[in-house]
Amino acid sequence: MRRNTVAEVKAHLAEGESVQAIRKLTRALLEDPQHPPYHELLNKAAAQRRLRRLKSGSKDTWAELPRSLRQEALQLEAFSAYVDEVERIFDNAGIPQLSTPAPRDPRKPLSELPPGREQHPVDQPAAPSPGRKKRRQARSTSVS
């Protein structure tokens, strides 16, 4: 199965289909996160996607970075692509996003909470977490 996945991803990369390669690798990494070739191919797919997204004639801001920082930036870009794809999978699966619980009133002892609430002392529902689009926009402005 690993060989088939690697071959399919390499074919996608050869055709310039980095998004399909990232999608295939994300599913493969969810099933087999310790397989090193998947990580290498994810870096290649993220690099290919980044180069494709660079506007023609615009300056590559990473070109001025030292080689070690470029490699770390590429790993971060690959991880970001992986997270985006995992979020897309969760969105399509209907899994709700997790939000942080509201802090409990420190003046209120745990013994005053209703039965069954001792473990999760949340008096009101938490605010919804920002949408995927907002996180992506914030991430894209901070990475540039």
Side-chain angles (χ1 to χ4, degrees), residues 45-100:
Q48 189 179 72
R49 185 182 76 167
R50 183 182 170 283
L51 289 176
R52 191 189 77 232
R53 287 183 174 178
L54 278 176
K55 295 179 180 163
S56 60
S58 65
K59 184 178 178 184
D60 184 8
T61 56
W62 287 15
E64 299 171 0
L65 294 174
R67 184 172 176 82
S68 62
L69 285 179
R70 273 192 306 237
Q71 190 62 29
E72 289 178 16
L74 182 59
Q75 287 177 338
L76 184 61
E77 185 78 19
F79 181 72
S80 176
Y82 172 78
V83 169
D84 287 344
E85 183 60 23
V86 168
E87 286 177 347
R88 190 187 69 76
I89 291 170
F90 284 172
D91 288 346
N92 290 343
I95 298 173
Q97 293 183 357
L98 298 176
S99 59
T100 54

Side-chain angles (χ1 to χ4, degrees), residues 9 14 18 21 24-25 28 42 45 47 53 57 62-63 67 70 72 75 80 83 93 97 113 119 127 129 134 144:
V9 169
S18 56
K24 185 80 171 170
L25 286 167
L42 183 61
R53 287 183 174 178
W62 287 15
R67 184 172 176 82
R70 273 192 306 237
E72 289 178 16
Q75 287 177 338
S80 176
V83 169
Q97 293 183 357
L113 294 174
Q119 293 178 350
S129 63
K134 289 180 184 177
S144 300

